[in-house]
Structure formats: structure tokens, C-alpha cells
């Protein structure tokens, strides 16, 4: 386990440095200066987001617990460093590696400098940031107090599970599995099996970018994050009643009810149930270059572990007439802006 240097060890190293500097005055040392990775533009063409649930959970907790402390941690930076260390393979993840990293940071070491020494830190920071930026931060919630209407400031997850609180579902990691309707292709999303009519929740705040019928996804919704890095896709929504007041251009807050689980799709004809099992198809597309996206170059990621993490934060809903709504309002700085 990493520990900060003792005073005795520090004095020994200082003495050695003094001797080295003195020697270098007499004998100049040639130094080759190469361009830092931080100075280079990183071109991200694909992201293998295979971070395990355990690594996501551990770094999230470290970030939240460090809030208002002397050493604030950032879970994206922690994950980027570990991703660099493991070459992107989080099957190698050990919590002791995270513990040692945090100890080094608390001893005054800069995580960006340490990461750059390993090689591809900037790539992993940009790639993982495209997925997770804005998921953790400050927000305000309504107090459950009839006598006090003031809001309460909090810090933590600002994103929600796609399935409302109190509604069950089953799922497994099906990203990349084969699909044959229309043409042979890979499944670039995540299926969450549940009951027809289950309220579907906006994972992240953003703007509705697409709504309506799609031959493959049936009734679907596409919501773009405010930073424009992510496109959240919800498909196979309920026949006859797919949406809850959704239209293109509408501002959506994380936790809002946006629609209802169904089994529509796989048809050129609208409002048809051609899916065998009721489920929500949920996916995240990363967007680094708008021009490439217009040319149908799409980057979708495996969200299985992320969906498991989002079970920590489920939106509670209530029914009024024929619609469901969130029970507790929430206030985000970005939606106010």
C-alpha cells in the first residue's frame, strides 16, 4: 500500500538531489524534450466502455465522500487513471489499486501528471468523460415537509434509472448480440424486460431531439444531453399510449416520466406490436464529431454496468388520471441556465 514519505526518507532524498544538482553544474546533462501527450489532440473514433459495476461504484463513492474535503476527488479522473493502468481492461480491477491511487493524490501528487506518465491518460479521460461528465454534482431537492417549502442542497448522482421506482425489470448484458430484422446487425443497446405500461424515466437532463415512429425501435424518444456529448435512446414504447407530453425541442429534467414501456417496432406500419417480449431498449450514443454523426458514423456503448449503478437513484412517481409524473421535483443548475 502506498504511504506518504516519512521525514527521514524525505531528508535522504533531498540530500541526494543536492548532490545531483551540484554534480550537474560541473557536468552538464543533455535532456531530450518530447511533446507531451497533453499537448496532442486526441481523436476518439470508438469507445470500449467496459468499466465494471464495482469500479463505477467504488469511484463514485470516493467522489461523493470527498465532497467538501481538503482533497476533492473526481470519479472520471480516477477511472481514467485506472483505465490507463489496465489498458482499458477492467477485469483487472482491484480496489486496492484505487485505494493506493487516492493515497497518492492525498499526498499531493497530481493525477493528471501521474496518468500522463502511463501513456494514454488523456484518451481515457476524454472517452470516459464523454460518458459520465455531468452525472455527479450539486443539485437541490424539495424537502418532504408541508410546513417548509425550501429546497435542500445535495451532492451526488444527478442521473436516474430508466425504470421508475417500484417497478421491477430483468436484464443481462446483451450489447453486441445478433439481430436479424431488416438486416443482420449487432444490438447496440440494452434491453430491460418489464411490464407493459411501466413508467420510463429520463436518465439525464437534456433536449428532446427525436420522437415518433421508427421501423426498428417502434415508438421511440431521443434526448440529447445539454453538453451535446450523449444521445439517450428509448425504444419499443407502449402501443396507443407511448409518451407523456413529449415533443421535439422540449427541455427534459432527469427523473421526469417521458413514456411507457411496451413492445412496438419491427414494422414499417406505425403503432404495431411486433416485438415478442415487452421491454425497454435503452442506449447511449457518444458524439465527438457532429459531421461524422451526420454521415451515420455512430458510437454506441455498453451500458449494462451503468444501468446497474443507476439503480441507486430511482425516480418515485404517482398517477394522475391517465398519466404518471415524478413525485419529488429536483433542481439542477444546468436546467436553470
Amino acid at each position: 500500500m502506498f504511504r506518504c514519505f516519512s521525514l527521514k526518507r524525505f531528508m535522504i532524498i533531498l540530500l541526494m538531489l543536492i548532490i545531483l544538482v551540484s554534480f550537474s553544474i560541473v557536468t552538464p546533462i543533455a535532456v531530450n524534450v518530447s511533446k507531451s501527450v497533453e499537448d496532442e489532440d486526441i481523436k476518439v473514433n470508438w469507445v470500449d466502455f467496459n468499466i465494471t459495476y464495482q469500479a463505477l461504484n467504488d469511484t463514485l463513492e470516493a467522489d461523493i465522500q470527498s465532497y467538501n474535503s481538503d482533497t476533492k476527488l473526481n470519479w472520471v479522473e480516477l477511472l481514467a487513471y485506472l483505465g490507463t493502468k489496465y489498458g482499458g481492461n477492467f477485469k483487472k480491477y482491484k480496489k486496492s489499486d484505487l485505494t493506493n491511487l487516492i493515497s497518492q493524490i492525498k499526498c499531493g501528487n497530481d493525477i493528471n501528471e501521474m496518468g500522463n506518465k502511463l501513456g494514454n491518460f488523456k484518451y481515457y479521460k476524454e472517452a470516459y468523460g464523454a460518458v459520465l461528465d455531468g452525472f455527479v454534482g450539486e443539485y437541490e431537492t424539495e424537502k418532504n415537509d408541508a410546513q417548509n417549502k425550501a429546497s435542500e442542497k445535495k451532492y451526488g448522482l444527478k442521473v436516474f434509472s430508466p425504470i421508475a421506482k417500484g417497478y421491477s425489470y430483468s436484464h443481462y448484458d446483451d450489447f453486441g448480440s445478433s439481430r436479424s430484422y431488416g438486416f443482420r446487425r449487432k444490438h447496440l443497446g440494452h434491453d430491460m424486460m418489464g411490464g407493459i405500461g411501466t413508467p420510463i424515466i429520463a436518465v439525464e437532463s437534456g433536449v428532446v431531439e427525436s420522437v415518433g415512429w421508427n421501423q426498428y425501435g417502434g415508438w421511440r424518444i431521443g434526448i440529447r444531453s445539454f453538453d451535446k456529448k450523449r444521445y439517450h435512446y428509448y425504444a419499443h414504447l407502449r402501443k396507443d399510449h407511448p409518451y407523456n407530453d413529449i415533443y421535439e425541442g422540449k427541455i427534459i429534467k432527469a427523473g421526469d416520466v417521458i413514456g411507457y414501456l411496451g413492445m412496438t417496432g419491427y414494422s414499417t406500419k406505425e403503432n404495431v406490436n411486433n416485438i415478442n417480449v415487452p421491454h425497454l431498449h435503452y442506449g447511449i450514443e457518444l458524439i465527438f464529431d457532429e459531421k461524422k454523426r451526420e454521415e451515420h458514423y455512430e458510437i454506441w456503448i455498453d451500458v449494462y454496468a451503468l444501468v446497474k449503478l443507476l439503480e441507486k437513484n430511482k425516480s418515485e412517481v404517482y398517477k394522475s388520471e391517465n398519466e404518471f409524473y415524478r413525485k419529488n421535483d429536483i433542481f439542477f443548475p444546468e436546467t436553470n441556465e
Side-chain angles (χ1 to χ4, degrees):
M1 180 180 294
F2 177 87
R3 291 183 173 83
C4 300
F5 286 148
S6 64
L7 180 59
K8 182 178 180 181
R9 184 178 298 180
F10 174 77
M11 294 302 295
I12 293 173
I13 292 176
L14 181 61
L15 180 61
M16 291 175 65
L17 287 173
I18 293 172
I19 295 171
L20 180 62
V21 170
S22 301
F23 177 79
S24 66
I25 294 174
V26 180
T27 310
I29 301 174
V31 179
N32 294 321
V33 180
S34 60
K35 189 175 183 180
S36 169
V37 173
E38 287 295 318
D39 296 330
E40 298 175 357
D41 292 329
I42 301 297
K43 303 294 184 183
V44 181
N45 296 312
W46 186 256
V47 175
D48 286 321
F49 188 76
N50 60 6
I51 303 175
T52 61
Y53 165 79
Q54 196 60 54
L56 286 169
N57 183 70
D58 291 345
T59 52
L60 171 66
E61 292 300 320
D63 184 315
I64 293 174
Q65 291 173 10
S66 70
Y67 183 62
N68 282 334
S69 70
D70 293 336
T71 306
K72 177 65 179 70
L73 303 171
N74 180 297
W75 74 321
V76 173
E77 291 181 347
L78 296 175
L79 288 167
Y81 181 91
L82 294 172
T84 307
K85 178 182 178 68
Y86 302 142
N89 182 10
F90 272 83
K91 291 181 179 179
K92 300 178 181 179
Y93 173 70
K94 295 182 295 184
K95 190 170 183 180
S96 58
D97 289 338
L98 175 62
T99 302
N100 290 340
L101 173 60
I102 293 173
S103 296
Q104 292 182 67
I105 295 171
K106 288 183 176 180
C107 283
N109 293 282
D110 184 88
I111 189 170
N112 291 280
E113 293 180 0
M114 291 191 296
N116 288 334
K117 291 179 181 178
L118 296 181
N120 295 320
F121 177 75
K122 187 176 181 181
Y123 161 77
Y124 285 107
K125 185 176 179 180
E126 183 173 348
Y128 295 166
V131 182
L132 302 171
D133 279 347
F135 278 22
V136 175
E138 295 178 336
Y139 61 93
E140 297 182 19
T141 59
E142 290 181 327
K143 288 185 177 179
N144 294 320
D145 184 354
Q147 304 300 321
N148 188 350
K149 298 297 182 181
S151 60
E152 181 180 5
K153 290 186 177 181
K154 294 184 178 182
Y155 180 90
L157 273 178
K158 298 163 58 178
V159 286
F160 289 81
S161 168
I163 302 295
K165 186 176 182 179
Y167 291 83
S168 62
Y169 67 91
S170 61
H171 67 145
Y172 60 94
D173 195 351
D174 57 345
F175 186 82
S177 59
S178 178
R179 292 291 186 271
S180 59
Y181 173 78
F183 61 97
R184 186 163 295 279
R185 65 197 189 282
K186 290 184 177 181
H187 186 228
L188 298 179
H190 182 63
D191 289 344
M192 305 171 70
M193 280 62 74
I196 292 178
T198 295
I200 301 304
I201 303 300
V203 170
E204 182 180 11
S205 302
V207 181
V208 177
E209 194 169 83
S210 62
V211 64
W213 184 262
N214 176 278
Q215 176 181 351
Y216 302 97
W219 294 121
R220 91 298 190 216
I221 302 171
I223 299 176
R224 188 76 167 268
S225 61
F226 287 129
D227 63 11
K228 298 187 178 298
K229 295 179 180 180
R230 291 165 299 284
Y231 175 77
H232 297 265
Y233 183 68
Y234 311 79
H236 307 313
L237 301 182
R238 186 178 186 177
K239 180 181 179 180
D240 298 326
H241 190 185
Y243 307 125
N244 184 349
D245 188 27
I246 289 293
Y247 54 87
E248 289 187 13
K250 182 177 182 179
I251 302 294
I252 297 293
K253 276 199 292 190
D256 286 348
V257 178
I258 56 176
Y260 305 98
L261 187 147
M263 49 197 298
T264 58
Y266 284 16
S267 174
T268 55
K269 184 180 179 180
E270 288 190 3
N271 205 34
V272 174
N273 279 339
N274 269 355
I275 302 296
N276 294 326
V277 179
H279 69 274
L280 169 70
H281 170 105
Y282 170 64
I284 294 181
E285 178 192 358
L286 303 182
I287 303 166
F288 296 95
D289 187 333
E290 293 288 347
K291 185 177 179 180
K292 282 189 176 182
R293 192 188 187 215
E294 292 170 3
E295 297 170 351
H296 302 291
Y297 185 90
E298 299 177 349
I299 301 175
W300 296 89
I301 60 166
D302 187 346
V303 297
Y304 173 68
L306 185 59
V307 166
K308 286 183 65 178
L309 186 77
L310 296 181
E311 291 178 2
K312 289 175 169 286
N313 206 23
K314 289 189 172 184
S315 182
E316 190 172 357
V317 300
Y318 70 93
K319 188 175 183 179
S320 177
E321 296 182 354
N322 202 32
E323 299 287 0
F324 284 84
Y325 303 92
R326 69 185 307 153
K327 185 174 181 181
N328 300 310
D329 204 357
I330 192 167
F331 308 97
F332 302 110
E334 59 268 26
T335 52
N336 293 335
E337 291 173 6

